[in-house]
Amino acid sequence: MDSDAPPSAAVAIVFAPAGGDEAALRRMLEDEGVAVQSCADAAAFYAALDENAWCAIVTEEGLDRCSLEGLDAGLRRQPAWSDLPFLALAGRAAAEVDSNRFVRLARIGNVTLIERPTSREVLLMSIRAALRTRRLQFAMRDQWRALEQHAAGLEAAVAERTRSLEREVGERRRVERALAEARRLESLGRLTGGVAHDFNNILQVIAGSETLLRMLLAKEPNPRLERSLDSIRRAAGHGAALTQQLLAYARRQPLNNVVLDLPQYLQASGEMLRDAVGADIHLSLHMAHDLWPVSVDPAQLDAVLLNLAVNARDAMPDGGNLAVSAYDIVLPDARLPEAGELAGEYVCIAVSDDGEGMSEKTARQAFEPFFTTKSVGKGTGLGLSQVDGFASQSHGLAFIRREQVGTTVGILLPRSAEKAARAQAPAPEAAPQSLAGIRILCVEDDPVVADTMCALLGELGASMTLVDSADAAIEADFSQVDLVLSDVMMPGRLDGIGLVNWLATHHPRLPVVLTSGYMVDPGRLHTLAIEFLRKPYTLSALTHAMAMALGRQRRAS
């Protein structure tokens, strides 16, 4: 067969009920390689007119037994691409041909009328033409299906890309919201740090003036004045605690870290917490005796535990249970999904209560500074922000967990590679030491703070030289200076740390005491061989720091 020959699966539908027409047509079609499906009646012929047929051949006698409605119904079952070739063999005599019927038949299908008798060649040509037409229809069907599959694939790809874009847009919006929130909190941190810096200078003046007044009145004791000075000292201490909370949130306070033996520390802290929460709250401690050591600032950790205990107490106005627990944990751990992206060895310290609990909205905002659900005068809104700031600055994390009853607030602190030092009892505050004959260069840009400190140190016998910036300090005659007392945050080319670095090069043996109420980068202190004091500081703390600095200088000599 040539390239136009039908495939072996080609089937022709034949309805020739009279004489030997069916046999003759079968031989002719089979010679062409086309299988024949003969129909015994009109119903079978209608049913066979489907999309798998290659052509339909019907004689005049078969048409007489068919109705146009039945043929129309059979042909209409075909899909849109199909137009089944329909060959009708009719007699030549006018009496045998109903032309009007063939016109109506042509309207319902792809009908070719062949008059009989006809030559074999003409009939073969008509059959081959019908099969060729049908082959083109099948090719169009295959292309149609391929296009449908391609279109479905495109639609699936477009849908997946749309979902991907939606995810990308959602993630971008989430990141943008997180960035905006981070910027907002960073700005708030800078603001609170700046406020704390100015407030600490004010507190330093108040505390220094209170100390100076005590020194001036020491020769003539006056109980009434002493009570007033005690009130000033308490108020200054309370203000200093507030600024420490602000600086903890802003992560701008230098931490005096030591490696703690946590079981011993927490046992000692238990009495402090019991006093803070009162008799109506039952306090219990839960921890292993071999907890990993952590490197933290004990004073700041004290403040964290006190803040959490007081918050828990306030959530249980009618009494309740308060549990402090500590345990080692290797992150990530499914037990603590709040740990986020932290990984490694940590110690978790958690404070749990069975009080009123928090709403989801409150828990989301609880670590923000100045946010509080307490009534006016009952809280500053700085307690939990101090907890969060301390944990972050200690390279850990603070979290809140809403329990079925009550709330758990915890901090994660990284395990220290060092061993905990043996605990020592805190030394009582010593009386200010004499500074007779010590020549001090005081570098302070706040004139009120400078005047107060110069007056105080002058009372102790020190000889004071005052400059208002580090740039001015480097022009001093250092042959007449025994010690430098400098603030950190100052205008000019150099700040206090820059001055220390300059002195390390030009006057390496000169002892230095740095003070500050706020630092942009507390980590800059870590490599300096100096004494550091947080404002506001007491006179005894200042003289002790000076003695330590002078002692270091003598040992170096």
Side-chain angles (χ1 to χ4, degrees):
M1 290 190 297
D2 59 27
S3 59
D4 287 338
S8 58
V11 177
I13 309 301
V14 175
F15 184 28
D21 291 339
E22 189 273 335
L25 288 171
R26 178 182 293 276
R27 287 193 299 272
M28 185 180 298
L29 289 166
E30 289 178 346
D31 289 343
E32 290 294 311
V34 178
V36 175
Q37 179 179 341
S38 296
C39 299
D41 53 32
F45 186 51
Y46 302 153
L49 299 178
D50 59 23
E51 62 180 287
N52 296 314
W54 279 68
C55 67
I57 303 175
V58 60
T59 61
E60 176 70 15
E61 294 79 10
L63 281 176
D64 286 341
R65 301 182 187 186
C66 294
S67 69
L68 291 178
E69 292 76 13
L71 289 172
D72 182 58
L75 292 171
R76 286 186 182 278
R77 293 199 309 271
Q78 300 177 89
W81 57 266
S82 178
D83 190 14
L84 180 66
F86 201 98
L87 302 180
L89 304 180
R92 181 176 298 173
E96 298 177 7
V97 178
D98 181 353
S99 298
N100 185 53
R101 183 156 62 99
F102 282 110
V103 169
R104 287 183 287 132
L105 181 64
R107 291 174 183 169
I108 64 171
N110 180 15
V111 178
T112 299
L113 177 62
I114 301 174
E115 292 185 352
R116 293 189 301 184
T118 184
S119 67
R120 176 182 175 86
E121 288 76 14
V122 170
L123 183 56
L124 278 175
M125 289 180 65
S126 298
I127 291 173
R128 288 171 180 171
L131 295 175
R132 188 179 300 112
T133 299
R134 192 58 168 170
R135 180 184 291 107
L136 291 174
Q137 291 179 22
F138 283 139
M140 183 179 69
R141 176 200 63 185
D142 295 340
Q143 292 178 1
W144 189 307
R145 289 176 178 174
L147 285 173
E148 286 181 336
Q149 292 175 355
H150 184 61
L154 284 176
E155 289 179 359
V158 169
E160 177 57 32
R161 183 55 183 160
T162 300
R163 288 191 293 270
S164 176
L165 286 173
E166 289 174 348
R167 289 193 296 269
E168 290 176 8
V169 169
E171 179 64 16
R172 179 176 297 177
R173 288 176 178 169
R174 186 193 67 78
V175 170
E176 288 174 350
R177 286 194 299 268
L179 180 59
E181 180 67 6
R183 286 174 175 168
R184 183 181 73 84
L185 294 178
E186 177 65 20
S187 297
L188 189 54
R190 291 180 181 274
L191 173 62
T192 55
V195 170
H197 172 262
D198 293 341
F199 193 42
N200 273 332
N201 278 341
I202 295 171
L203 289 172
Q204 186 62 61
V205 173
I206 294 171
S209 298
E210 178 263 336
T211 302
L212 181 59
L213 285 172
R214 286 185 187 274
M215 294 171 65
L216 295 175
L217 295 171
K219 296 178 182 180
E220 299 180 7
N222 186 321
R224 183 177 179 184
L225 289 177
E226 288 180 1
R227 285 195 298 272
S228 297
L229 291 174
D230 289 342
S231 298
I232 293 172
R233 178 170 290 184
R234 285 193 298 271
H238 182 60
L242 288 177
T243 58
Q244 287 305 307
Q245 289 179 327
L246 285 171
L247 289 171
Y249 166 74
R251 294 132 171 101
R252 295 294 187 265
Q253 60 173 349
L255 297 178
N256 298 322
N257 284 6
V258 297
V259 180
L260 284 185
D261 180 335
L262 272 179
Q264 184 178 5
Y265 167 82
L266 291 174
Q267 287 290 354
S269 299
E271 291 305 316
M272 172 186 71
L273 299 180
R274 287 187 177 91
D275 291 340
V277 299
D280 292 337
I281 306 295
H282 176 259
L283 175 68
S284 58
L285 298 175
H286 307 276
M287 59 192 155
H289 69 278
D290 56 350
L291 285 172
W292 292 331
V294 294
S295 177
V296 293
D297 185 327
Q300 293 301 314
L301 185 54
D302 283 346
V304 165
L305 294 176
L306 276 174
N307 281 327
L308 295 182
V310 169
N311 276 354
R313 179 200 66 192
D314 293 345
M316 299 182 288
D318 299 323
N321 296 297
L322 177 63
V324 178
S325 59
Y327 54 90
D328 300 331
I329 187 168
V330 179
L331 299 175
D333 190 308
R335 294 175 299 166
L336 198 64
E338 296 88 354
E341 297 180 358
L342 288 185
E345 295 178 330
Y346 286 80
V347 176
C348 179
I349 303 175
V351 177
S352 303
D353 65 67
D354 55 5
E356 299 168 349
M358 291 186 184
S359 68
E360 184 177 351
K361 180 180 179 181
T362 298
R364 285 198 307 267
Q365 297 178 271
F367 286 135
E368 293 190 15
F370 310 115
F371 176 80
T372 180
T373 58
K374 299 176 184 178
S375 58
V376 176
K378 296 296 185 180
T380 62
L382 293 173
L384 287 179
S385 69
Q386 184 266 341
V387 173
D388 182 50
F390 166 75
S392 297
Q393 200 171 356
S394 300
H395 308 291
L397 176 145
F399 66 89
I400 295 176
R401 177 183 294 167
R402 298 167 60 230
E403 308 287 3
Q404 289 185 346
V405 177
T407 306
T408 294
V409 183
I411 57 173
L412 291 164
L413 300 172
R415 179 183 184 179
S416 174
E418 302 176 32
K419 291 185 178 180
R422 181 172 297 177
Q424 297 180 352
E429 185 172 346
Q433 303 176 35
S434 173
L435 298 174
I438 302 297
R439 298 168 297 180
I440 299 174
L441 175 63
C442 181
V443 189
E444 173 61 63
D445 64 308
D446 188 311
V448 183
V449 175
D451 289 345
T452 303
M453 298 318 299
C454 286
L456 269 175
L457 295 174
E459 284 293 315
L460 294 178
S463 174
M464 303 297 296
T465 300
L466 177 64
V467 293
D468 61 0
S469 69
D471 295 335
I474 64 177
E475 302 296 332
D477 180 4
F478 285 96
S479 65
Q480 303 298 314
V481 175
D482 298 317
L483 181 142
V484 175
L485 172 64
S486 175
D487 191 15
V488 174
M489 301 292 292
M490 290 183 293
R493 183 172 54 89
L494 297 176
D495 62 2
I497 295 177
L499 176 60
V500 170
N501 292 329
W502 183 89
L503 290 172
T505 301
H506 296 85
H507 302 280
R509 294 188 177 182
L510 190 62
V512 179
V513 176
L514 282 183
T515 70
S516 182
Y518 165 77
M519 293 187 65
V520 175
D521 183 8
R524 296 172 65 200
L525 289 173
H526 294 166
T527 59
L528 302 181
I530 52 101
E531 296 297 317
F532 177 80
L533 285 176
R534 283 195 293 246
K535 289 181 179 178
Y537 48 80
T538 64
L539 181 58
S540 60
L542 176 58
T543 57
H544 176 72
M546 288 180 172
M548 294 292 291
L550 290 166
R552 182 186 292 115
Q553 184 265 342
R554 285 192 293 270
R555 289 190 297 273
S557 300

